[in-house]
Amino acid sequence: MKNNIDAKNDSMIVFTSGQILTMDSEQKYVEAVVIKEGHIVAVGDRSLLKAYPDAEIHDLKDRVLLPVFIDSHNNLSSFGCFLPTCANLIGLTEKESTLEKIRMQARKKSGKGWITGHNPCNTTSGLKSLDIEY
């Protein structure tokens, strides 16, 4: 990994003295990571600390530092938040069984509005119409 960042910035944090995992197959671990304003600006061996003399150093004390995992697509969080309020259509292939699940969900939901359903495999795609009235 190369660093082309100017080191003359004042509010920086350096993590060192631990196992720092990079997720880079060519360099899995580094000795130090420099962070400025929430962004990684340098990674490498301890010699890079010379380029950041004013950085606040945090000793990891042999702990492990690894990248944060961010679910930017939101499938998992959407699934967890909304599935309990949806009609579960997973695995349904017949129109009547699909309509029955939708009816059951409609009975649970008071008032008017949308009834949502969840089917990640899209097994109901062969159904031409699910129009129903209440």
Side-chain angles (χ1 to χ4, degrees):
M1 295 183 173
K2 294 182 180 178
N3 172 34
N4 297 323
I5 306 294
D6 182 359
K8 297 178 183 177
N9 297 315
D10 43 56
S11 62
M12 284 186 264
I13 298 170
V14 175
F15 289 99
T16 190
S17 300
Q19 205 174 23
I20 301 170
L21 181 64
T22 66
M23 304 303 285
D24 180 344
S25 61
E26 293 182 26
Q27 187 177 11
K28 292 183 181 183
Y29 297 95
V30 294
E31 295 175 339
V33 61
V34 181
I35 300 173
K36 179 181 181 183
E37 297 174 5
H39 298 279
I40 296 172
V41 295
V43 294
D45 61 38
R46 290 183 61 84
S47 67
L48 72 82
L49 298 177
K50 293 176 191 168
Y52 301 92
D54 297 329
E56 181 182 333
I57 297 177
H58 290 265
D59 186 337
L60 293 170
K61 298 181 176 149
D62 295 323
R63 290 176 288 186
V64 177
L65 179 71
L66 55 132
V68 172
F69 299 100
I70 298 173
D71 178 13
S72 62
H73 191 69
N74 292 320
N75 277 350
L76 289 176
S77 59
S78 294
F79 187 77
C81 291
F82 301 115
L83 186 60
T85 63
C86 293
N88 182 353
L89 306 178
I90 296 172
L92 300 178
T93 57
E94 302 296 323
K95 180 177 180 177
E96 195 49 48
S97 58
T98 303
L99 289 173
E100 183 54 33
K101 285 283 191 172
I102 294 169
R103 286 184 193 104
M104 287 171 54
Q105 185 66 28
R107 286 192 285 273
K108 285 192 232 174
K109 187 174 180 176
S110 62
K112 296 186 178 192
W114 288 94
I115 298 169
T116 57
H118 180 72
N119 182 356
C121 299
N122 199 23
T123 54
T124 57
S125 62
L127 300 175
K128 293 189 176 167
S129 173
L130 292 177
D131 291 342
I132 54 177
E133 282 188 36
Y134 287 95

